[in-house]
Amino acid sequence: MLPSRRHNQSQLPQILGHLASDVGLAIIIVLVFLAVYLIDIITPLGDPVWLLYFIPLILAYWSTRYYAIPAVCIVTLLFLICGFFFSPVGIAASLALGYRFSFFIIFISVALVLWIKRGL
């Protein structure tokens, strides 16, 4: 193969390698968190947008870092609380609080299962 042909190869494997690294994965998780939070504070209370917080949890499962899943849980708790206070009114606040609390209990359960499955 000519040297000039070797330099014209696609950079796609390098880009995918960087995205699959822990730094790339952390950047993707942060961007997904911000996008879900922005959608959460734009939509009225009662819309189950907070279900999208499962996406960063699944992405954190792929990380090799020990603290990735607990960190996602803590950030999700903070964003759920802030989303509750900053979202426009849609349904009664007590009902919306019940929905978010039940979601958080389910979220922690799933996170614990993933964390145990990955190996504490």
Short mmCIF file of all heavy atoms in Angstrom, two decimals, residues 52-112:
data_model
loop_
_atom_site.label_atom_id
_atom_site.label_comp_id
_atom_site.label_asym_id
_atom_site.label_seq_id
_atom_site.Cartn_x
_atom_site.Cartn_y
_atom_site.Cartn_z
N LEU A 52 -36.23 9.81 31.48
CA LEU A 52 -35.02 9.88 30.64
C LEU A 52 -33.74 9.85 31.46
O LEU A 52 -32.66 9.67 30.90
CB LEU A 52 -35.06 11.14 29.77
CG LEU A 52 -36.18 11.19 28.73
CD1 LEU A 52 -36.20 12.55 28.05
CD2 LEU A 52 -36.02 10.08 27.72
N TYR A 53 -33.84 10.01 32.77
CA TYR A 53 -32.65 9.93 33.62
C TYR A 53 -32.08 8.51 33.67
O TYR A 53 -31.00 8.31 34.20
CB TYR A 53 -32.94 10.42 35.03
CG TYR A 53 -33.02 11.92 35.13
CD1 TYR A 53 -34.21 12.57 35.46
CD2 TYR A 53 -31.91 12.71 34.89
CE1 TYR A 53 -34.28 13.94 35.55
CE2 TYR A 53 -31.97 14.08 34.98
CZ TYR A 53 -33.17 14.69 35.31
OH TYR A 53 -33.23 16.06 35.38
N PHE A 54 -32.81 7.54 33.14
CA PHE A 54 -32.26 6.19 33.04
C PHE A 54 -31.13 6.12 32.01
O PHE A 54 -30.27 5.26 32.09
CB PHE A 54 -33.34 5.17 32.68
CG PHE A 54 -34.13 4.70 33.86
CD1 PHE A 54 -35.49 4.90 33.92
CD2 PHE A 54 -33.52 4.05 34.92
CE1 PHE A 54 -36.23 4.46 35.00
CE2 PHE A 54 -34.24 3.62 36.01
CZ PHE A 54 -35.61 3.82 36.05
N ILE A 55 -31.14 7.01 31.03
CA ILE A 55 -30.10 6.99 29.99
C ILE A 55 -28.71 7.21 30.59
O ILE A 55 -27.79 6.43 30.31
CB ILE A 55 -30.43 8.01 28.87
CG1 ILE A 55 -31.73 7.62 28.17
CG2 ILE A 55 -29.28 8.10 27.87
CD1 ILE A 55 -32.26 8.67 27.22
N PRO A 56 -28.49 8.24 31.44
CA PRO A 56 -27.16 8.38 32.03
C PRO A 56 -26.77 7.20 32.93
O PRO A 56 -25.60 6.84 33.02
CB PRO A 56 -27.24 9.67 32.85
CG PRO A 56 -28.38 10.41 32.29
CD PRO A 56 -29.32 9.41 31.75
N LEU A 57 -27.78 6.58 33.56
CA LEU A 57 -27.48 5.43 34.41
C LEU A 57 -26.96 4.26 33.57
O LEU A 57 -25.98 3.61 33.94
CB LEU A 57 -28.72 5.00 35.19
CG LEU A 57 -28.54 3.83 36.14
CD1 LEU A 57 -27.58 4.21 37.25
CD2 LEU A 57 -29.87 3.39 36.69
N ILE A 58 -27.58 4.03 32.44
CA ILE A 58 -27.11 2.96 31.54
C ILE A 58 -25.72 3.29 31.01
O ILE A 58 -24.86 2.42 30.92
CB ILE A 58 -28.11 2.75 30.38
CG1 ILE A 58 -29.50 2.40 30.90
CG2 ILE A 58 -27.61 1.70 29.41
CD1 ILE A 58 -29.57 1.13 31.72
N LEU A 59 -25.50 4.55 30.67
CA LEU A 59 -24.17 4.95 30.19
C LEU A 59 -23.12 4.80 31.30
O LEU A 59 -21.99 4.41 31.03
CB LEU A 59 -24.20 6.39 29.68
CG LEU A 59 -25.00 6.62 28.40
CD1 LEU A 59 -25.08 8.11 28.09
CD2 LEU A 59 -24.38 5.88 27.24
N ALA A 60 -23.50 5.09 32.53
CA ALA A 60 -22.56 4.95 33.65
C ALA A 60 -22.22 3.48 33.90
O ALA A 60 -21.13 3.17 34.38
CB ALA A 60 -23.15 5.57 34.91
N TYR A 61 -23.12 2.60 33.56
CA TYR A 61 -22.86 1.17 33.72
C TYR A 61 -21.69 0.74 32.82
O TYR A 61 -20.94 -0.16 33.17
CB TYR A 61 -24.12 0.38 33.39
CG TYR A 61 -23.95 -1.12 33.49
CD1 TYR A 61 -23.82 -1.74 34.72
CD2 TYR A 61 -23.92 -1.90 32.34
CE1 TYR A 61 -23.67 -3.10 34.81
CE2 TYR A 61 -23.77 -3.27 32.43
CZ TYR A 61 -23.64 -3.87 33.67
OH TYR A 61 -23.48 -5.22 33.75
N TRP A 62 -21.53 1.38 31.68
CA TRP A 62 -20.44 1.05 30.76
C TRP A 62 -19.09 1.58 31.23
O TRP A 62 -18.05 1.14 30.75
CB TRP A 62 -20.72 1.60 29.38
CG TRP A 62 -21.76 0.86 28.62
CD1 TRP A 62 -22.27 -0.37 28.91
CD2 TRP A 62 -22.43 1.30 27.46
NE1 TRP A 62 -23.22 -0.71 27.99
CE2 TRP A 62 -23.33 0.30 27.08
CE3 TRP A 62 -22.37 2.45 26.69
CZ2 TRP A 62 -24.16 0.40 25.98
CZ3 TRP A 62 -23.18 2.55 25.59
CH2 TRP A 62 -24.06 1.54 25.24
N SER A 63 -19.10 2.53 32.14
CA SER A 63 -17.85 3.12 32.60
C SER A 63 -17.08 2.12 33.45
O SER A 63 -17.65 1.29 34.14
CB SER A 63 -18.14 4.38 33.42
OG SER A 63 -16.95 4.89 33.96
N THR A 64 -15.76 2.22 33.40
CA THR A 64 -14.93 1.35 34.21
C THR A 64 -14.69 1.94 35.60
O THR A 64 -14.10 1.27 36.44
CB THR A 64 -13.56 1.12 33.53
OG1 THR A 64 -12.92 2.39 33.34
CG2 THR A 64 -13.74 0.42 32.20
N ARG A 65 -15.12 3.15 35.83
CA ARG A 65 -14.91 3.80 37.12
C ARG A 65 -15.86 3.23 38.17
O ARG A 65 -17.03 3.02 37.93
CB ARG A 65 -15.14 5.31 37.02
CG ARG A 65 -14.26 5.98 36.02
CD ARG A 65 -12.85 5.98 36.49
NE ARG A 65 -12.01 6.65 35.50
CZ ARG A 65 -10.72 6.63 35.51
NH1 ARG A 65 -10.09 5.98 36.45
NH2 ARG A 65 -10.04 7.24 34.59
N TYR A 66 -15.33 3.02 39.35
CA TYR A 66 -16.09 2.44 40.45
C TYR A 66 -17.21 3.37 40.91
O TYR A 66 -18.28 2.93 41.29
CB TYR A 66 -15.12 2.16 41.61
CG TYR A 66 -15.77 1.66 42.86
CD1 TYR A 66 -16.26 0.36 42.93
CD2 TYR A 66 -15.91 2.48 43.97
CE1 TYR A 66 -16.85 -0.11 44.09
CE2 TYR A 66 -16.51 2.02 45.12
CZ TYR A 66 -16.97 0.73 45.18
OH TYR A 66 -17.57 0.27 46.30
N TYR A 67 -16.98 4.66 40.87
CA TYR A 67 -17.91 5.65 41.41
C TYR A 67 -18.90 6.18 40.38
O TYR A 67 -19.67 7.09 40.70
CB TYR A 67 -17.13 6.83 42.00
CG TYR A 67 -16.18 7.45 41.00
CD1 TYR A 67 -16.63 8.40 40.09
CD2 TYR A 67 -14.84 7.08 40.97
CE1 TYR A 67 -15.77 8.95 39.17
CE2 TYR A 67 -13.98 7.64 40.07
CZ TYR A 67 -14.44 8.57 39.17
OH TYR A 67 -13.59 9.11 38.25
N ALA A 68 -18.92 5.66 39.18
CA ALA A 68 -19.77 6.23 38.13
C ALA A 68 -21.26 6.10 38.46
O ALA A 68 -22.01 7.07 38.35
CB ALA A 68 -19.46 5.58 36.79
N ILE A 69 -21.69 4.92 38.85
CA ILE A 69 -23.11 4.70 39.11
C ILE A 69 -23.57 5.49 40.35
O ILE A 69 -24.61 6.16 40.29
CB ILE A 69 -23.43 3.20 39.21
CG1 ILE A 69 -23.24 2.56 37.83
CG2 ILE A 69 -24.84 2.97 39.72
CD1 ILE A 69 -23.42 1.07 37.79
N PRO A 70 -22.83 5.48 41.48
CA PRO A 70 -23.27 6.32 42.61
C PRO A 70 -23.27 7.82 42.28
O PRO A 70 -24.14 8.55 42.74
CB PRO A 70 -22.27 6.01 43.71
CG PRO A 70 -21.67 4.71 43.36
CD PRO A 70 -21.72 4.61 41.88
N ALA A 71 -22.32 8.25 41.48
CA ALA A 71 -22.28 9.67 41.10
C ALA A 71 -23.50 10.03 40.27
O ALA A 71 -24.11 11.10 40.47
CB ALA A 71 -21.00 9.97 40.32
N VAL A 72 -23.90 9.15 39.37
CA VAL A 72 -25.10 9.40 38.56
C VAL A 72 -26.33 9.43 39.46
O VAL A 72 -27.24 10.25 39.26
CB VAL A 72 -25.23 8.34 37.44
CG1 VAL A 72 -26.60 8.36 36.81
CG2 VAL A 72 -24.17 8.58 36.38
N CYS A 73 -26.38 8.57 40.47
CA CYS A 73 -27.52 8.58 41.40
C CYS A 73 -27.61 9.90 42.16
O CYS A 73 -28.70 10.47 42.30
CB CYS A 73 -27.40 7.43 42.39
SG CYS A 73 -27.85 5.86 41.72
N ILE A 74 -26.48 10.40 42.63
CA ILE A 74 -26.49 11.66 43.38
C ILE A 74 -26.90 12.83 42.49
O ILE A 74 -27.74 13.65 42.87
CB ILE A 74 -25.10 11.90 44.01
CG1 ILE A 74 -24.85 10.87 45.11
CG2 ILE A 74 -24.98 13.32 44.56
CD1 ILE A 74 -23.43 10.83 45.60
N VAL A 75 -26.36 12.89 41.29
CA VAL A 75 -26.70 13.97 40.37
C VAL A 75 -28.17 13.87 39.97
O VAL A 75 -28.87 14.89 39.88
CB VAL A 75 -25.78 13.95 39.14
CG1 VAL A 75 -26.23 14.93 38.09
CG2 VAL A 75 -24.35 14.25 39.56
N THR A 76 -28.67 12.66 39.77
CA THR A 76 -30.08 12.49 39.42
C THR A 76 -30.98 12.97 40.55
O THR A 76 -31.99 13.64 40.30
CB THR A 76 -30.38 11.01 39.10
OG1 THR A 76 -29.58 10.62 37.99
CG2 THR A 76 -31.84 10.81 38.76
N LEU A 77 -30.63 12.67 41.79
CA LEU A 77 -31.41 13.15 42.92
C LEU A 77 -31.46 14.68 42.93
O LEU A 77 -32.53 15.28 43.09
CB LEU A 77 -30.83 12.64 44.24
CG LEU A 77 -31.42 13.24 45.51
CD1 LEU A 77 -32.88 12.87 45.66
CD2 LEU A 77 -30.63 12.82 46.72
N LEU A 78 -30.32 15.31 42.73
CA LEU A 78 -30.28 16.77 42.71
C LEU A 78 -31.11 17.35 41.56
O LEU A 78 -31.86 18.31 41.75
CB LEU A 78 -28.84 17.26 42.62
CG LEU A 78 -27.95 16.93 43.82
CD1 LEU A 78 -26.52 17.34 43.53
CD2 LEU A 78 -28.47 17.62 45.06
N PHE A 79 -30.99 16.75 40.39
CA PHE A 79 -31.77 17.24 39.24
C PHE A 79 -33.26 16.97 39.41
O PHE A 79 -34.09 17.77 38.95
CB PHE A 79 -31.26 16.63 37.95
CG PHE A 79 -30.02 17.29 37.40
CD1 PHE A 79 -29.31 16.71 36.38
CD2 PHE A 79 -29.56 18.48 37.90
CE1 PHE A 79 -28.17 17.30 35.86
CE2 PHE A 79 -28.43 19.10 37.41
CZ PHE A 79 -27.74 18.51 36.38
N LEU A 80 -33.63 15.87 40.04
CA LEU A 80 -35.05 15.61 40.30
C LEU A 80 -35.64 16.65 41.24
O LEU A 80 -36.76 17.14 41.02
CB LEU A 80 -35.25 14.22 40.89
CG LEU A 80 -35.25 13.05 39.93
CD1 LEU A 80 -35.32 11.74 40.69
CD2 LEU A 80 -36.39 13.14 38.95
N ILE A 81 -34.88 17.00 42.28
CA ILE A 81 -35.37 18.01 43.22
C ILE A 81 -35.46 19.37 42.54
O ILE A 81 -36.49 20.06 42.64
CB ILE A 81 -34.45 18.06 44.46
CG1 ILE A 81 -34.58 16.77 45.25
CG2 ILE A 81 -34.78 19.27 45.33
CD1 ILE A 81 -33.54 16.61 46.34
N CYS A 82 -34.42 19.77 41.83
CA CYS A 82 -34.44 21.06 41.13
C CYS A 82 -35.51 21.10 40.05
O CYS A 82 -36.19 22.11 39.87
CB CYS A 82 -33.08 21.36 40.53
SG CYS A 82 -31.79 21.66 41.74
N GLY A 83 -35.68 19.99 39.34
CA GLY A 83 -36.72 19.93 38.32
C GLY A 83 -38.11 20.07 38.89
O GLY A 83 -39.00 20.66 38.28
N PHE A 84 -38.30 19.54 40.10
CA PHE A 84 -39.61 19.67 40.75
C PHE A 84 -39.90 21.13 41.07
O PHE A 84 -41.01 21.61 40.87
CB PHE A 84 -39.64 18.83 42.03
CG PHE A 84 -40.89 19.01 42.83
CD1 PHE A 84 -42.07 18.42 42.42
CD2 PHE A 84 -40.89 19.77 43.99
CE1 PHE A 84 -43.23 18.58 43.15
CE2 PHE A 84 -42.04 19.93 44.73
CZ PHE A 84 -43.22 19.34 44.31
N PHE A 85 -38.90 21.86 41.56
CA PHE A 85 -39.13 23.25 41.96
C PHE A 85 -39.17 24.22 40.78
O PHE A 85 -39.85 25.24 40.86
CB PHE A 85 -38.06 23.69 42.96
CG PHE A 85 -38.25 23.09 44.32
CD1 PHE A 85 -37.31 22.21 44.83
CD2 PHE A 85 -39.36 23.39 45.08
CE1 PHE A 85 -37.48 21.65 46.08
CE2 PHE A 85 -39.55 22.84 46.33
CZ PHE A 85 -38.60 21.96 46.84
N PHE A 86 -38.46 23.91 39.70
CA PHE A 86 -38.38 24.87 38.60
C PHE A 86 -39.29 24.55 37.41
O PHE A 86 -39.36 25.33 36.47
CB PHE A 86 -36.93 24.99 38.11
CG PHE A 86 -36.02 25.60 39.14
CD1 PHE A 86 -34.91 24.91 39.60
CD2 PHE A 86 -36.27 26.85 39.67
CE1 PHE A 86 -34.08 25.45 40.55
CE2 PHE A 86 -35.45 27.41 40.62
CZ PHE A 86 -34.34 26.71 41.07
N SER A 87 -39.98 23.43 37.43
CA SER A 87 -40.90 23.09 36.34
C SER A 87 -42.20 23.88 36.49
O SER A 87 -42.63 24.16 37.61
CB SER A 87 -41.23 21.60 36.35
OG SER A 87 -40.12 20.84 36.02
N PRO A 88 -42.82 24.22 35.36
CA PRO A 88 -44.12 24.90 35.46
C PRO A 88 -45.18 23.95 36.01
O PRO A 88 -45.08 22.73 35.90
CB PRO A 88 -44.43 25.31 34.02
CG PRO A 88 -43.47 24.58 33.16
CD PRO A 88 -42.35 24.10 34.00
N VAL A 89 -46.21 24.53 36.60
CA VAL A 89 -47.27 23.73 37.22
C VAL A 89 -48.07 23.02 36.13
O VAL A 89 -48.46 23.61 35.13
CB VAL A 89 -48.20 24.64 38.06
CG1 VAL A 89 -49.34 23.84 38.64
CG2 VAL A 89 -47.41 25.33 39.15
N GLY A 90 -48.31 21.73 36.34
CA GLY A 90 -49.12 20.95 35.41
C GLY A 90 -50.17 20.16 36.15
O GLY A 90 -51.33 20.14 35.77
N ILE A 91 -49.77 19.51 37.23
CA ILE A 91 -50.69 18.77 38.09
C ILE A 91 -50.43 19.23 39.53
O ILE A 91 -49.55 20.04 39.78
CB ILE A 91 -50.50 17.24 37.97
CG1 ILE A 91 -49.07 16.82 38.36
CG2 ILE A 91 -50.82 16.76 36.58
CD1 ILE A 91 -48.87 15.32 38.43
N ALA A 92 -51.21 18.69 40.45
CA ALA A 92 -51.02 19.06 41.85
C ALA A 92 -49.60 18.71 42.29
O ALA A 92 -49.05 17.68 41.91
CB ALA A 92 -52.04 18.34 42.72
N ALA A 93 -49.03 19.58 43.10
CA ALA A 93 -47.65 19.39 43.54
C ALA A 93 -47.47 18.11 44.34
O ALA A 93 -46.45 17.44 44.23
CB ALA A 93 -47.19 20.60 44.34
N SER A 94 -48.46 17.75 45.15
CA SER A 94 -48.34 16.54 45.96
C SER A 94 -48.30 15.29 45.08
O SER A 94 -47.55 14.35 45.35
CB SER A 94 -49.49 16.45 46.96
OG SER A 94 -50.74 16.40 46.28
N LEU A 95 -49.08 15.30 44.00
CA LEU A 95 -49.08 14.16 43.08
C LEU A 95 -47.75 14.08 42.32
O LEU A 95 -47.17 13.00 42.17
CB LEU A 95 -50.25 14.28 42.10
CG LEU A 95 -50.54 13.10 41.21
CD1 LEU A 95 -50.81 11.85 42.04
CD2 LEU A 95 -51.71 13.41 40.32
N ALA A 96 -47.26 15.23 41.88
CA ALA A 96 -45.98 15.27 41.16
C ALA A 96 -44.84 14.83 42.09
O ALA A 96 -43.93 14.11 41.65
CB ALA A 96 -45.72 16.66 40.62
N LEU A 97 -44.90 15.24 43.35
CA LEU A 97 -43.88 14.83 44.31
C LEU A 97 -43.93 13.32 44.53
O LEU A 97 -42.90 12.66 44.61
CB LEU A 97 -44.06 15.57 45.63
CG LEU A 97 -43.01 15.34 46.69
CD1 LEU A 97 -41.65 15.81 46.20
CD2 LEU A 97 -43.39 16.05 47.97
N GLY A 98 -45.12 12.76 44.59
CA GLY A 98 -45.27 11.31 44.73
C GLY A 98 -44.69 10.56 43.54
O GLY A 98 -44.03 9.53 43.70
N TYR A 99 -44.95 11.08 42.33
CA TYR A 99 -44.40 10.46 41.12
C TYR A 99 -42.88 10.49 41.15
O TYR A 99 -42.21 9.49 40.87
CB TYR A 99 -44.88 11.17 39.87
CG TYR A 99 -46.32 10.91 39.50
CD1 TYR A 99 -47.00 11.80 38.68
CD2 TYR A 99 -47.00 9.80 39.94
CE1 TYR A 99 -48.31 11.58 38.31
CE2 TYR A 99 -48.31 9.57 39.60
CZ TYR A 99 -48.97 10.47 38.78
OH TYR A 99 -50.27 10.25 38.43
N ARG A 100 -42.31 11.63 41.48
CA ARG A 100 -40.86 11.75 41.49
C ARG A 100 -40.22 10.90 42.59
O ARG A 100 -39.17 10.31 42.39
CB ARG A 100 -40.43 13.21 41.63
CG ARG A 100 -40.66 13.97 40.34
CD ARG A 100 -40.21 15.40 40.44
NE ARG A 100 -40.58 16.10 39.23
CZ ARG A 100 -39.70 16.44 38.29
NH1 ARG A 100 -38.45 16.17 38.42
NH2 ARG A 100 -40.11 17.07 37.21
N PHE A 101 -40.87 10.84 43.74
CA PHE A 101 -40.33 10.02 44.82
C PHE A 101 -40.36 8.54 44.45
O PHE A 101 -39.38 7.82 44.67
CB PHE A 101 -41.10 10.26 46.12
CG PHE A 101 -40.59 9.46 47.27
CD1 PHE A 101 -39.39 9.80 47.88
CD2 PHE A 101 -41.28 8.35 47.73
CE1 PHE A 101 -38.90 9.06 48.93
CE2 PHE A 101 -40.79 7.61 48.78
CZ PHE A 101 -39.60 7.96 49.38
N SER A 102 -41.46 8.09 43.86
CA SER A 102 -41.53 6.68 43.46
C SER A 102 -40.51 6.39 42.35
O SER A 102 -39.89 5.32 42.34
CB SER A 102 -42.94 6.31 43.02
OG SER A 102 -43.34 7.10 41.92
N PHE A 103 -40.32 7.34 41.45
CA PHE A 103 -39.29 7.14 40.42
C PHE A 103 -37.91 7.03 41.06
O PHE A 103 -37.11 6.19 40.65
CB PHE A 103 -39.30 8.29 39.41
CG PHE A 103 -38.09 8.29 38.51
CD1 PHE A 103 -37.98 7.35 37.51
CD2 PHE A 103 -37.05 9.18 38.71
CE1 PHE A 103 -36.85 7.33 36.68
CE2 PHE A 103 -35.94 9.16 37.90
CZ PHE A 103 -35.84 8.23 36.89
N PHE A 104 -37.64 7.87 42.05
CA PHE A 104 -36.32 7.83 42.67
C PHE A 104 -36.08 6.51 43.39
O PHE A 104 -34.98 5.97 43.34
CB PHE A 104 -36.12 9.01 43.62
CG PHE A 104 -34.73 9.08 44.14
CD1 PHE A 104 -33.68 9.41 43.28
CD2 PHE A 104 -34.43 8.79 45.44
CE1 PHE A 104 -32.37 9.46 43.74
CE2 PHE A 104 -33.13 8.84 45.91
CZ PHE A 104 -32.10 9.17 45.06
N ILE A 105 -37.11 5.96 44.03
CA ILE A 105 -36.97 4.66 44.70
C ILE A 105 -36.66 3.59 43.65
O ILE A 105 -35.76 2.75 43.85
CB ILE A 105 -38.24 4.32 45.49
CG1 ILE A 105 -38.46 5.31 46.63
CG2 ILE A 105 -38.20 2.89 46.01
CD1 ILE A 105 -37.36 5.35 47.66
N ILE A 106 -37.37 3.61 42.54
CA ILE A 106 -37.12 2.64 41.46
C ILE A 106 -35.73 2.86 40.88
O ILE A 106 -34.99 1.91 40.60
CB ILE A 106 -38.21 2.74 40.39
CG1 ILE A 106 -39.54 2.28 40.96
CG2 ILE A 106 -37.85 1.93 39.15
CD1 ILE A 106 -40.74 2.57 40.08
N PHE A 107 -35.35 4.12 40.71
CA PHE A 107 -34.05 4.45 40.14
C PHE A 107 -32.91 3.94 41.02
O PHE A 107 -31.96 3.35 40.53
CB PHE A 107 -33.94 5.98 39.97
CG PHE A 107 -32.72 6.42 39.22
CD1 PHE A 107 -32.71 6.42 37.85
CD2 PHE A 107 -31.58 6.82 39.90
CE1 PHE A 107 -31.58 6.83 37.14
CE2 PHE A 107 -30.45 7.23 39.22
CZ PHE A 107 -30.46 7.22 37.83
N ILE A 108 -33.04 4.14 42.33
CA ILE A 108 -31.99 3.65 43.24
C ILE A 108 -31.94 2.12 43.21
O ILE A 108 -30.86 1.54 43.24
CB ILE A 108 -32.23 4.16 44.67
CG1 ILE A 108 -31.87 5.61 44.73
CG2 ILE A 108 -31.46 3.35 45.69
CD1 ILE A 108 -31.67 6.18 46.10
N SER A 109 -33.10 1.48 43.13
CA SER A 109 -33.12 0.01 43.07
C SER A 109 -32.41 -0.50 41.82
O SER A 109 -31.60 -1.42 41.90
CB SER A 109 -34.56 -0.50 43.10
OG SER A 109 -35.21 -0.07 44.25
N VAL A 110 -32.70 0.10 40.70
CA VAL A 110 -32.05 -0.30 39.44
C VAL A 110 -30.56 -0.01 39.51
O VAL A 110 -29.73 -0.83 39.07
CB VAL A 110 -32.71 0.40 38.24
CG1 VAL A 110 -31.92 0.20 36.97
CG2 VAL A 110 -34.14 -0.09 38.05
N ALA A 111 -30.18 1.14 40.07
CA ALA A 111 -28.76 1.48 40.18
C ALA A 111 -28.02 0.48 41.07
O ALA A 111 -26.90 0.07 40.75
CB ALA A 111 -28.61 2.90 40.73
N LEU A 112 -28.64 0.09 42.17
CA LEU A 112 -28.01 -0.90 43.04
C LEU A 112 -27.83 -2.24 42.34
O LEU A 112 -26.80 -2.89 42.47
CB LEU A 112 -28.81 -1.07 44.33
CG LEU A 112 -28.65 0.04 45.36
CD1 LEU A 112 -29.62 -0.17 46.51
CD2 LEU A 112 -27.23 0.11 45.86
#
